[in-house]
Amino acid sequence: MTYFKSFIVGLSIFILAACNHKTTTYNIIDYGAKGDSLTINTGFIQKAIDVCFKEGGGTVFIENGIYISGTILLKDNVTLHVSEGAKLVGSSNPQDYQSIDTFVDATGQERGNCLIGATDASNIGITGKGIIDGNGKAFLHKNIQQKIKKLNIDKKEQKKFGTNRPFLLRFVRSSAISLKNVNLRQPAAWTCHFYQSKNIKVDSISIYSHAHHNNDGIDLDSSHDVIITNSHIDTGDDAICIKATSPLPTHHVKVSDCKLKSDWGALKFGTESMGDFYAISIKDCEIYDTKGGGIKLLSVDGANIYDIEIDNIKMNKVDMPIFIRLGERLRTYRNAKKQPVGSIKNVHIKNITATTQDIENSRVSSPSGIFITGTPNHKIGSVFLENISMTLPGSEENLELTDVEEQETAYPEFSFFKTLPAYGMYGRHIDTLRFSKINFELKAADIREKAVFEDVNVLLGVDK
C-alpha cells in the first residue's frame, strides 16, 4: 500500500469514528435557554435533558446566568450540572409546575409539585457549585394573591392556586441518585424529598431553607441505602428527617460529618412514621442554634424503630437535646391501612455534648436535657445512653410543676408537655433504660430533680 493510499484509509477511519461518536455533554443554551433572569426556560432545559436521555445519557450543563424555570424532570443516565456562576430559579407562577405522585402530607396539604423531579428513573444526579433557588417567597399568601389578580385566575381555581407549594428536588421510586456540591436555596416547601428511592449519595451540598413553612432540608421517606456526608443544612423546619408516608421502611442510612441548624428539629425520625426505621447510623455531626430538638426519635403512626446508633454529636444552643417518643396517633397517608402501634428498641446514643438554649430563647420555660416516654399501654423497649454531657440554664424562680400529661394520640412535640419534673433526664413507660457516664451541669440553681423515672421495668445506670 502506497503512502497516499494509507493516508486515505486512515482519514476514512478517522471520519467514520467521528461520525459515530456520541456527545455526552449538552448545554441548555444550545436548546434555546437564556440566562437573562426573565425567560421561562422550562421547555428548553427539558429538551436538553430529553435529547441527552435519548442519546444514551450524559451531562446537561447550566452555565453563566440566571435561568428561570418551572418543573423539569430528570431521566435515566442524566446528570444536571449547575456550574459555579449559574443559578436556576423557580418560576413565581404556580402554573409552571407539575405535580408528581401527588399526596397529602401530615399538615393536610396537597404536595407533589417540584422544581426538579424524577419518577422511576435510575443513574441520575445533580452536581456543580452553582445555585438552585426555589423562589419560595413567591408562594407566600400575599404574593399569591397578587399573582391571582395579575393573571386574572378564574374564581373556581383561586382556592387551590399556589397551595401545592413546590418542593425544590423530588425523587420518586428512583435509584442510583447522586447530589454533590450543589447549593440548594429557599424552596416553597421541602428542599429535597426522596420517596421510595434507593442507592442515594449526598455529598458536600449546602441547604438554606427559610422562605416559607415546612421548609425541611433532606427527607428520606420510605427509602433505603443512603449516605449523607459533609453537608451544611440550615432550615426553618427539620434539617435531616427520616420518615415514612407509606408502610415501606426507611433503612440502611448513614449520616456523617454534617453541620445542622433548624428551627424545629435537627436530626428527626418521624413524625410521619407508618413504615419502620432501622439500620441507621448518624455520627460526627454538629448541631447549632436549633430552636427545636437536637435528636428526636418519634414513632407515632406504627413505625418499629430499631438498630439505631447515634455517636459523637456536638450541640450548642439547642432545645431539648434528646427526645424519644412512642405514641398512638396512627395517622395514615396515601390511602394506606392504619398500622398497629409501633415500637422502639435497641437505640444507642453515645458521646454527646450539648448546651441548651437559655431560658429566654427556649420553647419550654425551664428546659430539660433528655425526655424519653412511651405510653401506659405501649412501653419503649430498650434505650442505651453512654458518655453524655449537657449544660443547662437552671429553672426560673417560682416554678410550678404539674403532672406530665400522657398525650398518647397527640402530635409528638416535647414542648407540648411543658415543664418536666427533672432538669436532666425524665423517663417513663420504658422496658429497659441503661445509661452510664451521664453528666448534667447547671448555670443556675434548679428546684427540680436531676433525674426522674416512672414505670421503668429495668433501670441500669451509673451516673458519673
Side-chain angles (χ1 to χ4, degrees):
M1 184 180 293
T2 65
Y3 174 81
F4 180 74
K5 288 182 178 179
S6 298
F7 174 77
I8 294 297
V9 170
L11 181 61
S12 298
I13 292 172
F14 173 79
I15 293 172
L16 183 63
C19 291
N20 288 334
H21 175 70
K22 288 184 178 181
T23 181
T24 59
T25 60
Y26 305 79
N27 195 309
I28 63 170
I29 291 176
D30 296 333
Y31 296 87
K34 296 180 180 179
D36 57 7
S37 77
L38 298 172
T39 303
I40 304 300
N41 291 287
T42 314
F44 306 128
I45 300 173
Q46 190 62 57
K47 185 176 180 180
I49 292 171
D50 292 347
V51 172
C52 179
F53 163 68
K54 289 177 182 177
E55 295 186 354
T59 302
V60 173
F61 280 85
I62 299 178
E63 297 179 318
N64 302 322
I66 300 175
Y67 298 84
I68 311 300
S69 181
T71 301
I72 55 177
L73 300 176
L74 296 180
K75 297 184 178 180
D76 291 356
N77 305 312
V78 175
T79 294
L80 184 68
H81 185 89
V82 185
S83 300
E84 189 170 13
K87 193 172 183 179
L88 178 66
V89 179
S91 168
S92 62
N93 186 352
Q95 295 173 324
D96 289 332
Y97 294 88
Q98 296 180 44
S99 184
I100 59 174
D101 188 57
T102 307
F103 73 105
V104 177
D105 71 5
T107 67
Q109 300 179 78
E110 185 177 274
R111 293 282 178 257
N113 278 353
C114 58
L115 178 56
I116 301 175
T119 304
D120 300 308
S122 65
N123 191 27
I124 56 177
I126 301 173
T127 63
K129 295 184 178 181
I131 295 171
I132 302 175
D133 190 316
N135 191 20
K137 289 185 177 179
F139 289 81
L140 294 170
H141 179 73
K142 63 178 181 179
N143 295 327
I144 287 295
Q145 292 305 306
Q146 292 176 0
K147 185 68 67 174
I148 286 172
K149 291 181 181 179
K150 182 177 180 180
L151 297 177
N152 195 26
I153 301 299
D154 186 272
K155 288 185 178 180
K156 292 181 179 180
E157 301 298 323
Q158 289 182 11
K159 287 186 178 181
K160 287 191 174 183
F161 187 80
T163 58
N164 189 335
R165 293 181 279 123
F167 296 169
L168 197 66
L169 312 180
R170 186 146 194 262
F171 304 94
V172 176
R173 298 184 303 275
S174 295
S175 63
I177 306 165
S178 176
L179 303 182
K180 187 174 177 63
N181 294 327
V182 71
N183 297 289
L184 307 178
R185 298 287 180 267
Q186 300 293 54
W190 301 349
T191 308
C192 185
H193 182 214
F194 298 94
Y195 177 66
Q196 291 188 354
S197 294
K198 62 184 178 180
N199 299 327
I200 300 160
K201 179 69 179 295
V202 178
D203 181 31
S204 302
I205 72 166
S206 170
I207 293 176
Y208 183 83
S209 182
H210 290 271
H212 213 298
H213 304 295
N214 314 117
N215 288 131
D216 290 10
I218 297 175
D219 290 274
L220 303 176
D221 185 352
S222 295
S223 294
H224 61 91
D225 295 303
V226 182
I227 296 175
I228 301 172
T229 188
N230 299 315
S231 295
H232 186 190
I233 303 173
D234 180 349
T235 59
D237 212 318
D238 305 322
I240 295 178
C241 189
I242 310 295
K243 62 175 59 181
T245 61
S246 82
L248 296 182
T250 295
H251 61 94
H252 288 89
V253 176
K254 293 183 178 180
V255 178
S256 64
D257 300 294
C258 290
K259 190 173 183 180
L260 309 174
K261 177 179 180 293
S262 170
D263 290 343
W264 197 251
L267 293 168
K268 184 177 177 184
F269 294 58
T271 56
E272 296 98 329
S273 49
M274 288 195 71
D276 296 346
F277 308 142
Y278 63 89
I280 297 173
S281 168
I282 301 173
K283 65 179 184 178
D284 304 329
C285 292
E286 177 185 348
I287 300 171
Y288 70 102
D289 293 343
T290 290
K291 297 176 184 178
I295 299 168
K296 304 166 84 169
L297 276 67
L298 315 170
S299 170
V300 294
D301 299 325
N304 297 296
I305 301 178
Y306 59 96
D307 294 348
I308 309 299
E309 182 173 359
I310 301 176
D311 183 13
N312 192 29
I313 309 297
K314 294 178 174 60
M315 307 186 209
N316 185 37
K317 296 183 180 178
V318 175
D319 273 342
M320 185 64 73
I322 299 173
F323 176 42
I324 302 176
R325 169 61 160 167
L326 175 61
E328 304 172 21
R329 182 178 69 171
L330 303 182
R331 178 170 289 175
T332 61
Y333 308 87
R334 305 169 183 274
N335 299 315
K337 293 181 180 179
K338 184 177 290 188
Q339 304 291 98
V341 175
S343 64
I344 299 176
K345 64 181 181 180
N346 199 23
V347 173
H348 294 251
I349 302 176
K350 59 185 179 180
N351 301 318
I352 309 295
T353 60
T355 300
T356 63
Q357 296 275 6
D358 294 332
I359 289 177
E360 57 268 24
N361 294 316
S362 175
R363 287 182 175 166
V364 178
S365 178
S366 294
S368 300
I370 302 172
F371 181 21
I372 305 172
T373 180
T375 69
N377 295 319
H378 296 278
K379 291 186 178 182
I380 287 174
S382 54
V383 177
F384 308 99
L385 307 175
E386 179 183 357
N387 194 27
I388 296 174
S389 178
M390 296 184 179
T391 301
L392 301 110
S395 65
E396 292 183 313
E397 295 181 2
N398 303 318
L399 180 66
E400 294 185 5
L401 297 177
T402 58
D403 292 337
V404 181
E405 297 177 352
E406 293 291 349
Q407 300 188 31
E408 297 100 320
T409 61
Y411 183 93
E413 183 53 48
F414 70 86
S415 59
F416 297 171
F417 292 90
K418 302 179 182 178
T419 302
L420 301 177
Y423 66 80
M425 176 163 47
Y426 177 54
R428 68 177 180 183
H429 308 314
I430 306 168
D431 187 47
T432 301
L433 177 61
R434 187 174 72 198
F435 58 93
S436 66
K437 298 181 181 179
I438 309 294
N439 181 60
F440 301 105
E441 294 186 5
L442 292 171
K443 294 180 180 179
D446 199 308
I447 65 170
R448 298 173 294 170
E449 300 288 333
K450 178 186 293 186
V452 173
F453 303 104
E454 302 173 3
D455 189 24
V456 179
N457 287 352
V458 180
L459 178 65
L460 300 173
V462 180
D463 192 358
K464 293 183 179 180

